[in-house]
Amino acid sequence: MTSSKVTDAKATGAPEEGYERGLGSRQVQMIAIGGAIGVGLFMGAGANIEKAGTSIILMYALAGVVIFFIMRALGELLLYRPVSGSFAEYAREFLGPFFGFVTGWTYWLMWVVTGMAELTAAAIYIHFWFPEIPQWVSALVFLVVLFGVNLISVKIFGEVEFWFSMIKVTAIIGMIVIGLGVLTLGFSDAGDTAAVSNLWSHHGFFPNGIGSSLMTLQGVMFAYLAVELVGVTAGESENPEKTLPKAINTLPWRIIVFYVGALTVILSVVKWTEFHAGESPFVHAFGKIGIPLAAGIVNFVVLTAALSSCNSGMYSTGRMLRDLAANSEAPSAFGKLNARKTPAVGITVSVALMGIGVVLNYIVPEKAFTYVTSVATAAGIWTWMMILVSHIRYRSAVDAGRLRASSFPAPGGALFSWVALLFLIGVTGMIAYDKDARVCLYVAAGWALALGIGWAILKSRNPQITDRGGEPEFEKVG
């Protein structure tokens, strides 16, 4: 392989990876929407509201702006060269093989531990209706079904994710419409106390101080994890030049409606002091309004959110392992596609590790298991940072005339990537300051040490790996 950073393949677009381009515009759009709506919103917002009051709306909006900067940076890179292992590939190209290695394995780890957590969460949600079913049975059934979905074809994955996302979107829009009806018409049990003035009348917009509100940004950013998943679909989108810009450009509207809009309505209908950690604000608001079976309805929605996240995790881990294998940074078996053009070996190994999470749920205390999942936050922040730094390096190369310009340039060039990068560094500092949250940084340090050792072993066995600069060598059908 050539060591040059500029090749004809890069100049003309995406390499041929062997995947089936089976994700249509409809599916990519809903995958993008679903990635912006997760359990972090449905369940995690309660703890953030308790800490920040109504100012949490501003925190979600602020984080949403930064996420848009990150996604526009990713969008410019994707239209420069749309590949399935996008984050790792761009880190490898613009920062060097070691950063590609670290980013690929870190993103893989993020989804494996997320899958463990979501499987357990889904089993708990099923327990709500069927307490007699052992939790491990529900988790195992979900694991097997979603494994089959991902193994069959990317079209089946896309269709399942489409409907998972549709349920989440419908639930939030329904909540907004009902909430607006309560505010304007005064019906329901909450009609007497529901008012827009609830946003500022209970100890102000920053009831616990601006500092306390800013400290919630670490939890708020966790809610946006997986929004970058649309980048992993680049290698299997039917028309990435059309679908990816549309999916990214509609992100601000999704954030305004699903986060800012939904929380504004909920906190107007029910005063913020009634929300607490460990409780879904959606369940509480539905119950306050007096909707029958409110808890069951939201429990179903949160169940789909958990399954959606696990489904996405299985999809992305297989693709990331294949990209690592194509660059000699993982066993070559992970680089093979089955007859249906899916990375079956990589998906199987990832699913097996997610299954270990189900077993661990019985022997690891609940708090320790939560600590394990916290690595997802650190891994997500690393991935976002690599996207931003890669974009800054790419813009520098374009300005110097070394690389062709993307057809989807980010507004402001590299300026907003710098802004977003500084924001993420600030969030990392907040995590370090918070004694309960900083455990994820300890886990990250241990993971970094393991990757450093792995890279040293890899170099000793294959010294040429540090010279890689061309296109990865993808195996097609195995």
Side-chain angles (χ1 to χ4, degrees), residues 10 13 17 61 89 103 106 108 113 127 129 158 160 199 209 213 243 252 259 274 279 288 313 342 360 386 458 460 466:
K10 287 185 180 64
E17 299 177 81
E89 270 298 291
T103 301
T106 300
W108 171 83
V113 297
H127 214 246
W129 292 299
V160 169
L199 296 177
S213 298
T243 57
Y259 282 89
E274 295 189 24
E279 176 187 36
K288 187 77 173 180
T342 61
L360 288 176
M386 288 300 97
L458 207 59
S460 67
T466 58

Side-chain angles (χ1 to χ4, degrees), residues 214-396:
L214 290 174
M215 285 300 292
T216 64
L217 282 172
Q218 50 187 301
V220 169
M221 294 304 289
F222 175 77
Y224 286 116
L225 284 182
V227 70
E228 76 291 330
L229 181 66
V230 68
V232 184
T233 70
E236 293 168 274
S237 300
E238 289 179 351
N239 187 356
E241 290 78 12
K242 178 180 179 181
T243 57
L244 295 179
K246 184 177 179 181
I248 292 171
N249 278 335
T250 55
L251 179 63
W253 293 110
R254 299 197 298 272
I255 291 172
I256 290 171
V257 172
F258 300 132
Y259 282 89
V260 177
L263 289 173
T264 299
V265 170
I266 285 177
L267 292 173
S268 297
V269 172
V270 182
K271 58 184 180 181
W272 73 268
T273 53
E274 295 189 24
F275 297 104
H276 303 287
E279 176 187 36
S280 169
F282 286 80
V283 171
H284 187 87
F286 269 62
K288 187 77 173 180
I289 292 171
I291 296 176
L293 304 175
I297 293 171
V298 177
N299 192 72
F300 174 71
V301 174
V302 176
L303 171 63
T304 63
L307 293 178
S308 171
S309 180
C310 189
N311 189 41
S312 298
M314 291 182 187
Y315 171 84
S316 57
T317 50
R319 274 69 185 173
M320 197 56 67
L321 285 179
R322 185 168 186 248
D323 177 75
L324 288 164
N327 286 277
S328 303
E329 296 166 357
S332 59
F334 292 146
K336 297 179 180 179
L337 294 178
N338 64 12
R340 296 182 178 88
K341 298 185 179 181
T342 61
V345 177
I347 293 174
T348 302
V349 170
S350 301
V351 168
L353 291 173
M354 290 180 190
I356 291 174
V358 177
V359 177
L360 288 176
N361 190 47
Y362 290 95
I363 59 177
V364 179
E366 185 177 350
K367 193 170 185 179
F369 190 77
T370 302
Y371 285 164
V372 171
T373 63
S374 70
V375 74
T377 305
I381 289 176
W382 172 268
T383 300
W384 291 337
M385 284 182 172
M386 288 300 97
I387 291 171
L388 293 169
V389 175
S390 296
H391 178 251
I392 291 169
R393 296 291 297 271
Y394 166 72
R395 289 295 308 188
S396 177

Side-chain angles (χ1 to χ4, degrees), residues 453-474:
I453 295 172
W455 181 253
I457 294 173
L458 207 59
K459 280 201 305 180
S460 67
R461 293 180 177 179
N462 181 15
Q464 291 80 19
I465 195 169
T466 58
D467 299 326
R468 296 184 65 86
E471 298 290 355
E473 297 176 337
F474 288 102

Side-chain angles (χ1 to χ4, degrees), residues 42-68:
F42 286 116
M43 294 298 292
N48 293 326
I49 292 171
E50 187 174 25
K51 293 177 182 177
T54 51
S55 66
I56 195 63
I57 299 170
L58 181 60
M59 297 301 105
Y60 273 100
L62 176 62
V65 171
V66 172
I67 289 296
F68 181 61

